[in-house]
Amino acid sequence: MKKFFIFLIALAFSINGFSQDYRKNRKEADKIKANAGFYWGESGECRNLNKAGEAALNSLLDNISGDKSLLSLYFTDSDNGNEEQRSRVFVTFRDELKKQSTDLVLNDNDGNAAVFLYISKDDFNKICSRREKKIADYIAEGLAAEEQL
């Protein structure tokens, strides 16, 4: 009986600890939302953590693509490319964004989950600069190969 009460007390403390983590994450998310130096996305309530992460990533991408100061170069290939090429470029960009962003779990209980995903605009600009450099390198390689013909 004594072990049972100790187990219940430990369970109560662990539940309280998770609840405090979620509250702390929500406060941090609110600070990031108020800071213009970040792009962010939030999932809302989803059935599981994976779905919440995907929804947060889609929301983050929507937030970034809504920034009119960015070139569409970061999201699509040229209009001359085919749909498969544009899709491949977008998936590559999406994967890199997912790796570089930070996520906060806002809720993960009762069969529901919520995730907040963010990236600083400086880090996002670094991703874009690497992408621009890669494009410039491809152009230079193409020009060099053309001269050899």
Side-chain angles (χ1 to χ4, degrees):
M1 187 72 151
K2 189 175 188 179
K3 289 181 183 179
F4 179 72
F5 285 118
I6 292 173
F7 172 75
L8 284 178
I9 290 171
L11 181 64
F13 280 123
S14 67
I15 290 171
N16 187 35
F18 287 130
S19 156
Q20 288 176 352
D21 285 345
Y22 295 144
R23 281 195 295 270
K24 181 181 140 200
N25 287 351
R26 283 203 184 275
K27 284 181 182 180
E28 187 174 346
D30 288 341
K31 286 180 187 176
I32 290 165
K33 287 178 184 178
N35 186 337
F38 291 92
Y39 292 115
W40 56 271
E42 193 168 11
S43 69
E45 292 293 322
C46 295
R47 281 181 288 199
N48 61 48
L49 208 48
N50 287 338
K51 289 187 187 302
E54 282 300 311
L57 182 58
N58 288 334
S59 177
L60 174 61
L61 285 165
D62 287 345
N63 189 334
I64 292 169
S65 64
D67 187 344
K68 301 302 181 203
S69 68
L70 296 174
L71 299 172
S72 62
L73 166 74
Y74 304 131
F75 305 105
T76 61
D77 202 356
S78 71
D79 290 336
N80 297 333
N82 65 29
E83 187 62 34
E84 182 181 330
Q85 287 174 320
R86 282 192 289 276
S87 295
R88 189 173 31 243
V89 167
F90 180 75
V91 167
T92 302
F93 178 73
R94 181 183 167 94
D95 289 345
E96 187 169 358
L97 183 62
K98 190 173 186 177
K99 289 177 195 171
Q100 296 295 320
S101 60
T102 304
D103 66 334
L104 298 172
V105 177
L106 302 179
N107 184 20
D108 187 17
N109 57 21
D110 299 331
N112 292 319
V115 171
F116 181 82
L117 195 62
Y118 66 95
I119 187 169
S120 74
K121 289 185 177 180
D122 289 339
D123 287 343
F124 178 77
N125 289 334
K126 289 175 187 174
I127 291 171
C128 295
S129 293
R130 285 193 302 268
R131 187 177 169 114
E132 288 172 2
K133 183 182 179 327
K134 194 179 283 189
I135 290 168
D137 290 346
Y138 286 143
I139 291 170
E141 285 177 29
L143 291 173
E146 189 176 72
E147 285 180 10
Q148 291 178 356
L149 293 177

